[in-house]
Amino acid sequence: RVAPTIDAVLLSHPDMMHLGALPYAIKHLGLSAPVYATEPVFRLGLLTMYDYFLSRWQVADFDLFSLDDIDAAFQNVVRLKYSQNHLLNDKGEGIVIAPHVSGHLLGGTVWKITKDGEDVVYAVDFNHRKERHLNGTTLGSFVRPAVLITDAYNALNNQVYKRQQDQDFIDSMVKVLSSGGSVLLPVDTAGRVLELLLIMEQYWAQRHLVYPIYFLTNVSTSTVDFVKSFLEWMSDSISKSFEHTRDNAFLLRHVSLIINKEELEKLGDAPKVVLASMSSLEVGFSHDIFVEMANEAKNLVLFTEKGQFGTLARMLQVDPPPKAVKVTMSKRVPLVGDELKAYEEEQERIKKEEVLKASISKEKELKASHESNAKASDPMVVDASSSRKSSNAGSHVGGNVDILIDGFVSPVTSIAPMFPFFENTADWDDFGEVINPDDYMMKQDEMDNNMMLGAGDGMDGKLDESSARLLLDSAPSKVISNEMTVQVKCSLAYMDFEGRSDGRSVKSVIAHVAPLKLVLVHGSAEATEHLKMHCAKNSDLHVYAPQIEETIDVTSDLCAYKVQLSEKLMSNVLSKKLGEHEIAWVDSGVGKVDEKLTLLPPSSTPAAHKSVLVGDLKLADFKQFLANKGLQVEFAGGALRCGEYITVRKIGDSNQKGSTGSQQIVVEGPLCEDYYKIRELLYSQFFLL
């Protein structure tokens, strides 16, 4: 009902919560809109979907979508860089989108959507804090957008000091490891786990720890390989470190990347740290490892994000935790014996039915073709009786007799029988045949596939070797399952490493951005109501908190019109260049030309307007400018002291937030020679209209 009406899809983060339904929507719901994302979101999101599918497929007959559906969903994704403006086409004409840093996940995006000079900012799951591998969000640079769409997920939570949190995180693991236990961290495929890997790398090196760390997903090696190439999307510290030392932060020295449990089984009960997907504990390696570790009191399951409602992870995070949980252990095994024989017979029967259906369909098509041509003469068929009649008739009257040549009789209504021939209708110009450059260029998706495949081809290049082998194995298989009760004797802990701004920071950011309208999504009813009441109490915001499937209208109260300038008016306009633009003052009237609003020359001579100074003066730059002119200048009390008597002061409008408000430049001092000289130099920093 909704998917076919969507004109564009914007992906914000490379995790299941933000893109998990994309293949299903395209396959089953009729979604056909173009998809936009940053390069890391595209690459890591693809690996996340692979890992999820493999985890599901290994324990169930998963049929919501296939790997081909995942590839189809991602093959036409348009990749953008941070701050890159992209103009939409077709129905989106006039709309400009641009991704900006969110600070939550690698490549994570705050989307800025601009139409007719008004901004809509979509900022769900952002983080203002600078972390090891990510810079903080740039959301604070937006001022007075028409609409801000954000979430209330963390509105009721306040975070502890980050360095102390990292210390507690490492100490809790070392305590368990030193007592002979192991630690399981259920993590996502390619999201927040990257920050955890860097934290452990740093502290393992500082403390000279020797306990093994394993990163276990179906695509762990591919994930880290891609991440190594995304340094320009990471924090400034990582980029600068690579520039100076050529040391890649994700050349992991203390973490082993594995794609199956065989390595873990070799260690037995030896102390170790395992970061395994999925974070929900419902499926994947983390589910199986939890079942193995739960009945040992010396082990620890450490959650770094809140579990979703209805998942095993959320069940274990309640206080107090359950003493026992029911789980389903599933495994895919090959068919053998009678089951294999029955499967092969069924496949043979299905194949025969398909062949029979195809032959019946072909016969029907041939029959329909013969019937449609029955009334027309067939040049390949000669009717002997009609030939004899025509021949006899010709002999009786002494007229011409038809002569049969090689059995052909050319019908009057058809052309001569011949092989298919297609005439070349290419266009020509003064230089020869006109060519289409697109015919000689490799398609972008083919280039991307080649980059992903590398030297290999097909699935082997996209997935890790073991995962690809598992899927390419066409042997018939089935899933066997059994329910069991697991006694939860191990320790359970939760530490917030979700990488989201806490409630205090969210409120501060909203107050700074000061949108005209605020839309709250993605949060508990209690958290949403709390943030809604806070914003309504402390500002004059229009706050909306729509429910699922509820549609709201956030159309701007301002009326914007698109007008064209008449040629007669433009011929009298004197423009001045300002950076990349040209500016001018225009006095005009408004009329309609060809049913379009048009600015026309005024009917009478307009009154002289007050002079307008256009520009943004920075006192630090003006200080340097005056110094170059030989004047003695210095900062004093936030103002610029020029010589002995003159002071230049910048005063902003207190009613306006950010840099978009009007500002005043005040020149204080006696009317002396220096005063007029400095005023003239000050005017030279602006454009006068």
Side-chain angles (χ1 to χ4, degrees), residues 340-373:
L340 178 59
K341 186 177 180 181
Y343 173 83
E344 291 174 344
E345 290 176 353
E346 178 67 15
Q347 292 299 311
E348 188 67 25
R349 185 186 64 81
I350 293 174
K351 190 181 296 184
K352 288 180 179 178
E353 288 182 355
E354 290 177 349
V355 171
L356 181 60
K357 287 180 181 178
S359 63
I360 293 174
S361 175
K362 190 172 183 180
E363 287 178 4
K364 288 182 178 179
E365 290 177 1
L366 289 172
K367 187 177 180 181
S369 177
H370 286 314
E371 289 176 354
S372 63
N373 295 331

Side-chain angles (χ1 to χ4, degrees), residues 28-49:
H28 297 286
L29 304 182
L31 178 65
S32 59
V35 182
Y36 300 90
T38 60
E39 187 71 23
V41 170
F42 166 72
R43 299 291 183 190
L44 301 181
L46 186 62
L47 292 175
T48 297
M49 294 305 303

Side-chain angles (χ1 to χ4, degrees), residues 344-590:
E344 291 174 344
E345 290 176 353
E346 178 67 15
Q347 292 299 311
E348 188 67 25
R349 185 186 64 81
I350 293 174
K351 190 181 296 184
K352 288 180 179 178
E353 288 182 355
E354 290 177 349
V355 171
L356 181 60
K357 287 180 181 178
S359 63
I360 293 174
S361 175
K362 190 172 183 180
E363 287 178 4
K364 288 182 178 179
E365 290 177 1
L366 289 172
K367 187 177 180 181
S369 177
H370 286 314
E371 289 176 354
S372 63
N373 295 331
K375 297 180 182 180
S377 298
D378 189 345
M380 298 296 293
V381 177
V382 178
D383 189 340
S385 60
S386 63
S387 299
R388 283 196 298 271
K389 288 178 182 178
S390 61
S391 177
N392 294 335
S395 63
H396 287 314
V397 299
N400 296 328
V401 179
D402 289 339
I403 300 175
L404 303 182
I405 302 176
D406 292 339
F408 286 95
V409 176
S410 299
V412 179
T413 59
S414 67
I415 61 174
M418 61 186 294
F419 289 106
F421 172 73
F422 303 98
E423 185 179 359
N424 183 9
T425 58
D427 295 330
W428 294 74
D429 59 14
D430 295 338
F431 301 97
E433 182 179 344
V434 177
I435 66 169
N436 181 8
D438 294 337
D439 295 339
Y440 299 91
M441 295 178 65
M442 182 180 289
K443 293 183 179 179
Q444 184 65 35
D445 55 350
E446 293 177 0
M447 294 174 63
D448 294 335
N449 286 338
N450 290 337
M451 289 174 63
M452 291 182 67
L453 296 177
D457 190 16
M459 198 78 66
D460 294 328
K462 297 180 182 179
L463 298 175
D464 292 313
E465 182 180 353
S466 173
S467 303
R469 194 185 310 120
L470 179 68
L471 284 170
L472 294 173
D473 184 6
S474 58
S477 61
K478 68 175 183 178
V479 175
I480 56 175
S481 304
N482 68 293
E483 288 191 357
M484 57 185 297
T485 300
V486 177
Q487 301 297 323
V488 184
K489 298 179 182 179
C490 65
S491 301
L492 302 172
Y494 167 73
M495 293 187 180
D496 184 4
F497 281 90
E498 294 184 348
R500 294 183 175 95
S501 291
D502 60 5
R504 181 175 59 252
S505 302
V506 169
K507 295 169 186 174
S508 175
V509 169
I510 292 175
H512 176 76
V513 175
L516 299 177
K517 295 181 180 180
L518 177 68
V519 180
L520 299 178
V521 297
H522 183 210
S524 65
E526 184 182 3
T528 302
E529 186 62 24
H530 170 79
L531 187 56
K532 182 178 179 180
M533 295 299 295
H534 171 84
C535 294
K537 180 180 178 182
N538 294 279
S539 64
D540 56 353
L541 275 177
H542 295 284
V543 185
Y544 304 86
Q547 301 298 316
I548 295 176
E549 295 191 4
E550 179 184 352
T551 302
I552 59 174
D553 184 0
V554 290
T555 305
S556 174
D557 298 331
L558 303 175
C559 295
Y561 298 93
K562 184 180 290 187
V563 298
Q564 62 182 9
L565 283 76
S566 65
E567 294 184 5
K568 189 174 181 181
L569 178 67
M570 285 299 297
S571 63
N572 297 323
V573 171
L574 298 177
S575 300
K576 294 185 178 180
K577 192 166 183 61
L578 176 60
E580 298 179 355
H581 308 280
E582 291 186 356
I583 59 174
W585 181 281
V586 176
D587 291 300
S588 70
V590 180

Side-chain angles (χ1 to χ4, degrees), residues 130-383:
K130 183 178 180 180
E131 297 186 311
R132 282 171 176 78
H133 82 296
L134 294 176
N135 288 323
T137 183
T138 57
L139 179 58
S141 63
F142 303 136
V143 179
R144 299 296 285 176
V147 181
L148 171 63
I149 304 172
T150 189
D151 64 278
Y153 187 83
N154 259 0
L156 297 176
N157 301 330
N158 290 318
Q159 296 172 341
V160 299
Y161 185 52
K162 188 176 186 306
R163 181 171 295 179
Q164 183 61 45
Q165 185 184 35
D166 293 351
Q167 292 275 3
D168 295 341
F169 174 67
I170 297 298
D171 290 343
S172 64
M173 289 193 293
V174 172
K175 181 179 178 181
V176 172
L177 294 168
S178 60
S179 61
S182 295
V183 181
L184 169 64
L185 288 86
V187 295
D188 51 17
T189 303
R192 294 301 304 169
V193 65
L194 302 179
E195 182 72 12
L196 299 178
L197 290 174
L198 290 187
I199 292 174
M200 285 189 276
E201 272 284 311
Q202 176 184 333
Y203 281 94
W204 250 245
Q206 288 179 357
R207 301 187 183 186
H208 306 288
L209 300 174
V210 294
Y211 303 109
I213 305 172
Y214 293 98
F215 179 32
L216 173 58
T217 73
N218 290 296
V219 291
S220 59
T221 55
S222 297
T223 299
V224 175
D225 285 344
F226 275 126
V227 169
K228 289 176 184 176
S229 64
F230 291 144
L231 298 184
E232 72 272 19
W233 298 84
M234 298 184 190
S235 64
D236 296 337
S237 58
I238 287 181
S239 300
K240 290 178 181 177
S241 174
F242 182 75
E243 289 176 3
H244 291 98
T245 65
R246 292 295 167 185
D247 185 19
N248 194 312
F250 281 90
L251 288 173
L252 305 175
R253 296 173 176 82
H254 299 88
V255 179
S256 299
L257 309 178
I258 56 177
I259 53 180
N260 54 56
K261 289 174 57 182
E262 294 176 2
E263 291 290 330
L264 297 181
E265 292 169 355
K266 292 178 183 177
L267 286 176
D269 293 334
K272 57 187 173 294
V273 179
V274 183
L275 300 94
S277 62
M278 299 285 172
S279 59
S280 65
L281 286 183
E282 288 292 302
V283 293
F285 293 116
S286 62
H287 175 271
D288 297 343
I289 296 173
F290 166 74
V291 172
E292 296 171 1
M293 293 176 53
N295 57 1
E296 291 284 347
K298 62 182 180 180
N299 296 330
L300 168 66
V301 178
L302 179 55
F303 298 98
T304 56
E305 61 180 74
K306 293 179 184 175
Q308 297 300 308
F309 286 104
T311 63
L312 178 58
R314 187 58 173 255
M315 191 185 309
L316 295 171
Q317 290 175 15
V318 298
D319 190 20
K323 298 186 181 298
V325 292
K326 285 187 177 181
V327 298
T328 302
M329 295 298 294
S330 301
K331 185 179 181 181
R332 185 171 289 276
V333 296
L335 295 179
V336 293
D338 294 339
E339 288 182 330
L340 178 59
K341 186 177 180 181
Y343 173 83
E344 291 174 344
E345 290 176 353
E346 178 67 15
Q347 292 299 311
E348 188 67 25
R349 185 186 64 81
I350 293 174
K351 190 181 296 184
K352 288 180 179 178
E353 288 182 355
E354 290 177 349
V355 171
L356 181 60
K357 287 180 181 178
S359 63
I360 293 174
S361 175
K362 190 172 183 180
E363 287 178 4
K364 288 182 178 179
E365 290 177 1
L366 289 172
K367 187 177 180 181
S369 177
H370 286 314
E371 289 176 354
S372 63
N373 295 331
K375 297 180 182 180
S377 298
D378 189 345
M380 298 296 293
V381 177
V382 178
D383 189 340

